[in-house]
Amino acid sequence: MNWFTRFLTSSIGKKLIMSLTGLFLCLFLIVHLAGNLQLLLDDGGNAFNLYAYTMTHNPLIKAVSYGTYFFIILHAIQGIVLALQNRKARNSKYAVKVTRTTGTSSFAARQMALLGSLILIFLGIHMGDFWWKMKSNQTNTLTIEGIEVQDLYEKVAASFSVEWIVAFYVVAMIGLCFHLLHGFQSAFQTLGLNHKKYTPFIQLLGKGFAILVPTLFALIPLYFYFVK
Amino acid sequence: MKLNLKVWRQKGAETGGKFETYTVEANEHMSFLEMLDVLNEQLIAEQKEPVSFEHDCREGICGTCSMVINGHPHGPMKGTTTCQLHMRHFNDGETITIEPFRANAFPVIKDLVVDRSAFDRIIQAGGYISVNTGQAQDGNSIPIEKELASEAFDAATCIGCGACVAACPNASAMLFTSAKISHLNMLPQGEVEAAQRVLNMVDQMDAEGFGACSNVTACEAECPKDISVKNIARVNREYFAATLASERVSKK
Amino acid sequence: MKLDGKIPAGDLSEKWTKYRGTMNLVAPNNKRRIDVIVVGSGLAGASAAATLGELGYNVKCFTFHDSPRRAHSIAAQGGINAAKNYQNDGDSVFRLFYDTIKGGDYRSREANVHRLAEASRNIIDQAVAQGVPFAREYGGLLANRSFGGVQVSRTFYARGQTGQQLLIGAYQSLSRQISLGNVEMYNRHEMLDVVVVDGKARGIITRNLVTGEIERHAAHAVVLGTGGYGNVFYLSTNAMNSNVTAAWRATKRGALMANPCFTQIHPTCIPVSGEYQSKLTLMSESLRNDGRVWVPAKKEDVLAIREGRLKPTEIAEEDRDYYLERRYPAFGNLVPRDVASRAAKVACDEGHGVNATGLAVYLDFDDAIMRYGKSEAHSKGLYNASAADIRALGEQVVEAKYGNLFEMYEKITGENPYKTPMMIFPAVHYTMGGLWVDYNLETNIPGLFAVGEANFSDHGANRLGASALMQGLADGYFVLPYTIGQFLSGEIRTPKIDDQLPEFEAAEKAVKERLAQFMNIKGKQSVESFHRRLGKIMWEYCGMSRSAEGLNKARKMIQDLRAEFYADAFVPGDLNEYNPELEKAARVADFLELGELMVVDALDRNESCGGHFREEYQTPEGEALRNDKDYTYVSAWEWTDTSTDPVLHKEELKFENVELKTRSYK
């Protein structure tokens, strides 16, 4: 085997892919959140719709977004493959299961694949509801500042008035929170960044990120459902 | 104290196994293995086959014990091997479940005895410093910082018992392998072969059928010698450097 | 039989160098054609197998463990001696040689011990190069500590796990040779016989412990590194599986067993807590650097303590008897092991023992804690620190030095040794006796070598602390790989040994019959119960003190027990499977013979020396009374058949470089 494929298929190489794609998706979450928080502005959705227009028309951003799709798929497939392979390393299961760990969350660490699958399902519904409908021109158009944009805001408001969608979004964000609780600091550990001086900071940052980002995301559907 | 034991009985690697239940009269000053000795004496008196379990030094250093007690490799006490676990940590009338270390890479030989030769093969892949007898220079010719020697020692205290594999939901051997690599790679004597060592040993570990590490840290929590997962991070980073930056390739 | 130690002529300090420079060699092209079997993979076995592999021999190495990393060398705590004189405190090769000869009560060979002292320096270098993480000073250089019986600091250590680290070093070297194909490793194989062809050792018979298969392995020479036989006492600090079988099987084939009664009783072990006890745990001798040994001076205090009415910490200073400091002011708590053990026995025999069984003394760290605490407070500038603060600081220092030992003590006893003194009592630890070997480490059977604790060679009647690791590694790394050439250089024309020879056939048959015999006893009592009973006899009559009367009684008791074993033991399971009870039966059967030989040897030696204390031979103060006129010899016993009496062969010991003196630590 060529050294590079060997590297990527080694147990550490596979984890490296999980780690790097995971960290990239964390960055994506920040950008996505920053954009989406514009939904909370009281401007009838103008800022948000303009933002959505930019995101879909700027060639550079478009390129990055295709990268993001690719990384999401890679992260998901690799994660599922790894989880299945890891399960196969122990055919005979324990009668008594305990969950002692020294990490942040034993539940999260052990259920990354389950949490990841939940997030993947969420992504499917989320993209189908907004991205696909926008791409296939199922949304209305309107003109803001002389630019003809699709009214995604209206679509969002419509979706977030449906009870089960709001509930599902909140559940998915709780799943994301746990996924990040383990994933964020685990990515650094996989990269080999475990340092007496910096690791406590990374762990604190990871906890903050895992709680703050999903909470803010979850606020949006709740705001639409209860306040608007 | 009276105890109910649910013990895994398995004739051989190929046959399946099942739990058998026994009652044993123990006392709180006994070690866990002495309690099993009592059980075996009882079974022999009934002309039944005793429970096979591996043990040797009974002072927590040889790494031979290989059982999971109530879900914990080496039992519920932190930083303690099975042989140093005493019955005073259990309650009268308690039911204790005893299973072997379970992992495909550690096939069961009989009852609670498993085959851990995969660990030997990982060491044979590169867990040594290539120095023949008689080639060494004076011991004091390489000063080593006290803190560094101590950190290398922390990794070197691994007793090779396999509790990390038994505890890991993925049956990963990363804590063992990384402790062994770290011990040698941290020291100046081991630096010469560091890149080659990490490549060969990680490859061998993968070939043995252990799962991949997903940073659950159950290994660190259950390790009877409190080996740190910091070693895993170190090996990850050395593996990247050895693969991507050095011109070495794995010889395995 | 005339025993020839083959000690080279010449000046003591030149013997080894000259001999090494003139001994026969085997050329590299011939080494490739020579097979060597090494049995055992502890410090001596693993280091020998690795080094022989490096030299180019075809090596097969055997262990009954699941991995060569588990041998009981791993449990050695305190350290390893070497005459490096890094501390500039007057140490030298001669001083280490002298201390070892004196410590061994003048019952070992001068030439062997001097060679050991010379090799000690190379061992440290070799171990450091292998990556053994010895303790270091802040400047990055190697640290030392002191051990019993000496007045210099020459002990190198790796926390309380020196044996583990050295064994891992040897195991790693062995693993390297395995990966290079120079050594073929057989885990889970137990040697059950030596095969002697035309008077030379040419192979072994083993049992595969997983499948039960009996296998033949042939080679040009056989090396036994199979450890000591302390488990003949049932309760000892040895690992549960340590046994005499390999050495005893060699004895049955004509090898001589030397000084079998020389047993080391270690003074600082955790006392026995009950009948179920399976083994005893050592507390490193290094603890005696800082711990003070005492018992209550007043009998009423002893009684109150045993009944739990009084705590040791409540006993006033003047009511304590620090008996080692009182009896041996020059060495105090750091007297050699045999002296410290006997003193503890005397204290307990006089009724001062402090636990319920009356068999324990205190090892107290209170003074050390307060002393270190004061110095620590001073260095931190806390001139007005309270006693409690000083104690807390002192506990931290003691924890840094002995933390893992204290923790182990607490795990086993459930008592906190920082708050209340440890309770300790002597326990069987090491056997100085073993297979008789000459200067080449070759037994009287040509081609059969013994290394490490399995041979008798270097420690005389008492071993000094931190010398076992030194001897095992010296034998394996720096002695045997040379001296085996003396024999093998004569074998370069010998073709590969054929394992179909009638001698192999016969040996295999004998092994199979013997195992079948154990299975067919079909009695009622467990093998373990026989072992326990043997241990009690040995401890009672052939332990810390022995008398002709007791020994005669013991011999009869052992013979009876042996007969009972063959009539009423029960071995469950089958021959052809993983069967630990069968393994145990074969080992206990051998202990039942060795035990008798130990008693015979102890009876023969009408003197007290080192670990061998005969009640009839003591000074009015109760110190050992040696008899140099009549007993300056090695007792090498021939005993191939239990129906006859063992035959004694004597090797006279000549002392040309040291003067035989009464050993005094006063």
Side-chain angles (χ1 to χ4, degrees), chain B residues 23-85:
Chain B
T23 319
V24 68
E25 194 61 47
N27 106 25
E28 58 170 12
H29 296 298
M30 284 178 178
S31 73
F32 197 84
L33 296 183
E34 284 165 349
M35 184 275 294
L36 286 182
D37 289 342
V38 171
L39 169 67
N40 277 348
E41 285 295 291
Q42 199 173 300
L43 289 171
I44 290 170
E46 296 164 14
Q47 306 261 313
K48 286 184 189 152
E49 206 171 325
V51 177
S52 289
F53 62 92
E54 261 190 310
H55 62 99
D56 196 29
C57 76
R58 297 207 178 184
E59 46 189 277
I61 194 77
C62 74
T64 310
C65 323
S66 59
M67 60 185 88
V68 171
I69 301 161
N70 287 342
H72 295 282
H74 295 294
M77 302 302 291
K78 272 276 304 159
T80 305
T81 55
T82 299
C83 58
Q84 296 219 297
L85 174 66

Side-chain angles (χ1 to χ4, degrees), chain B residues 11 27 29-30 34 37-38 41 44 47-50 52 54-59 61-64 79-80 84 86 88 109-110 113-116 119-120 123-124 127-140 142-146 149-150 153-154 156-161 176 180 183-184 187 189, chain C residues 51 54 65-70 72 74-75 77 84 86 125-126 128-131 133 136-142 158-159 161 164-165 168 171-172 175-176 178-179 187-188 210 237 239-242 273 276-281 408 410-414 477-478 523-524 526 528 570 572-573 577-578 580-581:
Chain B
K11 195 81 182 153
N27 106 25
H29 296 298
M30 284 178 178
E34 284 165 349
D37 289 342
V38 171
E41 285 295 291
I44 290 170
Q47 306 261 313
K48 286 184 189 152
E49 206 171 325
S52 289
E54 261 190 310
H55 62 99
D56 196 29
C57 76
R58 297 207 178 184
E59 46 189 277
I61 194 77
C62 74
T64 310
T80 305
Q84 296 219 297
H86 279 67
R88 67 181 80 96
I109 289 176
K110 191 175 179 181
V113 179
V114 298
D115 179 2
R116 285 166 286 187
F119 273 12
D120 283 336
I123 299 298
Q124 285 156 20
Y128 45 74
I129 289 170
S130 298
V131 51
N132 280 359
T133 304
Q135 290 179 333
Q137 68 276 60
D138 187 85
N140 257 351
I142 320 167
I144 302 172
E145 191 205 358
K146 192 179 165 83
S150 174
F153 200 119
D154 288 341
T157 53
C158 167
I159 55 173
C161 64
F176 167 78
K180 301 314 291 178
H183 158 212
L184 297 174
L187 295 171
Q189 302 94 303
Chain C
T51 307
E54 288 162 11
H65 285 110
D66 69 321
S67 156
R69 62 166 296 149
R70 310 245 189 252
H72 200 54
I74 208 162
Q77 298 169 352
K84 281 286 200 184
Y86 281 160
D125 300 341
Q126 186 66 28
V128 168
Q130 287 170 348
R136 291 184 179 262
E137 307 288 1
Y138 282 105
L141 302 178
L142 293 159
R159 295 189 193 153
Q161 292 139 277
Q164 180 200 25
Q165 294 308 316
I168 287 174
Y171 159 71
Q172 288 173 174
S175 296
R176 175 167 160 251
I178 295 169
S179 74
N187 294 335
R188 298 189 190 273
V210 176
T237 64
M240 298 301 287
N241 296 307
S242 301
S273 65
Y276 49 80
Q277 189 120 5
S278 59
K279 81 151 269 161
L280 297 170
T281 303
M408 182 151 85
E410 189 169 358
K411 267 180 200 160
I412 293 171
T413 62
Y477 283 132
F478 296 108
K524 292 230 167 331
S526 71
E528 192 83 9
F570 172 66
E577 64 168 353
Y578 184 84
E581 286 296 312

Side-chain angles (χ1 to χ4, degrees), chain B residues 168-222:
Chain B
C168 177
N170 311 333
S172 163
M174 259 309 256
L175 191 65
F176 167 78
T177 309
S178 69
K180 301 314 291 178
I181 295 174
S182 292
H183 158 212
L184 297 174
N185 282 18
M186 255 188 273
L187 295 171
Q189 302 94 303
E191 222 178 288
V192 179
E193 298 169 278
Q196 194 67 62
R197 178 177 300 119
V198 71
L199 288 172
N200 293 353
M201 287 176 75
V202 168
D203 257 18
Q204 185 64 38
M205 173 185 80
D206 285 352
E208 294 289 347
F210 294 106
C213 171
S214 56
N215 303 328
V216 175
T217 66
C219 53
E220 185 181 71
E222 301 288 356

Side-chain angles (χ1 to χ4, degrees), chain C residues 322-625:
Chain C
Y322 294 92
Y323 59 83
L324 285 177
E325 295 168 27
R326 172 172 57 80
R327 290 177 61 181
Y328 308 100
F331 280 68
N333 292 297
L334 279 173
V335 291
R337 292 175 176 177
D338 54 338
V339 178
S341 292
R342 220 156 32 240
K345 184 177 189 300
V346 170
C348 293
D349 285 351
E350 286 169 354
H352 295 274
V354 290
N355 69 356
T357 59
L359 297 174
V361 299
Y362 288 127
L363 180 63
D364 199 329
F365 293 88
D366 202 55
D367 270 9
I369 287 171
M370 294 310 280
R371 189 176 70 238
Y372 286 128
K374 263 182 210 142
S375 130
E376 195 69 4
H378 196 268
S379 73
K380 289 192 167 156
L382 308 167
Y383 302 109
N384 299 318
S386 69
D389 290 342
I390 289 175
R391 179 173 296 277
L393 287 168
E395 282 177 5
Q396 282 170 17
V397 177
V398 168
E399 189 184 348
K401 289 182 90 156
Y402 309 111
N404 61 332
L405 297 169
F406 276 47
E407 202 179 292
M408 182 151 85
Y409 182 86
E410 189 169 358
K411 267 180 200 160
I412 293 171
T413 62
E415 283 182 1
N416 180 351
Y418 294 100
K419 306 292 175 206
T420 180
M422 282 186 183
M423 283 198 279
I424 54 162
F425 196 67
V428 175
H429 180 54
Y430 184 90
T431 52
M432 282 71 71
L435 290 170
W436 182 88
V437 290
D438 63 17
Y439 191 71
N440 291 331
L441 303 181
E442 190 173 18
T443 66
N444 55 309
I445 300 176
L448 181 66
F449 294 79
V451 290
E453 193 181 349
N455 72 30
F456 87 103
S457 69
D458 296 342
H459 305 297
N462 174 55
R463 179 175 66 75
L464 288 182
S467 286
L469 300 179
M470 171 173 73
Q471 187 227 337
L473 290 178
D475 285 1
Y477 283 132
F478 296 108
V479 180
L480 178 94
Y482 292 107
T483 59
I484 200 172
Q486 283 291 69
F487 171 77
L488 291 175
S489 58
E491 298 291 327
I492 54 173
R493 285 182 191 79
T494 313
K496 212 168 179 60
I497 308 296
D498 179 11
D499 67 5
Q500 298 303 310
L501 290 169
E503 288 85 352
F504 278 91
E505 181 91 45
E508 183 187 307
K509 189 161 165 272
V511 165
K512 283 183 171 164
E513 284 172 0
R514 187 162 173 266
L515 294 178
Q517 185 189 5
F518 297 133
M519 298 303 300
N520 290 332
I521 302 171
K522 295 200 165 80
K524 292 230 167 331
Q525 303 176 57
S526 71
V527 172
E528 192 83 9
S529 67
F530 284 100
H531 194 181
R532 213 181 277 264
R533 282 162 70 191
L534 173 68
K536 278 197 177 139
I537 300 171
M538 296 304 294
W539 181 245
E540 180 72 25
Y541 301 106
C542 198
M544 263 192 289
S545 78
R546 298 132 182 212
S547 70
E549 193 198 342
L551 289 166
N552 278 315
K553 198 165 137 195
R555 188 172 181 193
K556 178 79 180 58
M557 290 170 83
I558 296 168
Q559 286 168 343
D560 292 346
L561 187 66
R562 195 162 65 221
E564 192 182 331
F565 173 83
Y566 283 100
D568 197 32
F570 172 66
V571 182
D574 280 318
L575 278 174
N576 299 317
E577 64 168 353
Y578 184 84
N579 189 345
E581 286 296 312
L582 177 62
E583 295 164 28
K584 212 190 287 176
R587 294 169 191 168
V588 170
D590 288 337
F591 279 136
L592 282 164
E593 294 181 9
L594 168 80
E596 185 180 347
L597 184 64
M598 289 170 71
V599 167
V600 171
D601 184 42
L603 256 175
D604 171 75
R605 195 166 277 277
N606 292 312
E607 62 163 349
S608 293
C609 63
H612 171 64
F613 187 80
R614 281 279 298 271
E615 287 160 15
E616 303 94 319
Y617 308 99
Q618 52 180 310
T619 65
E621 301 96 64
E623 301 298 331
L625 194 61

Side-chain angles (χ1 to χ4, degrees), chain C residues 212-258:
Chain C
E213 198 180 337
I214 305 298
E215 299 167 0
R216 305 174 188 182
H217 297 276
H220 293 83
V222 175
V223 180
L224 302 183
T226 51
Y229 48 81
N231 268 348
V232 69
F233 290 88
Y234 186 73
L235 285 182
S236 81
T237 64
N238 285 191
M240 298 301 287
N241 296 307
S242 301
N243 67 80
V244 76
T245 288
W248 194 251
R249 291 292 110 198
T251 309
K252 301 287 274 188
R253 291 279 173 196
L256 303 180
M257 182 58 83

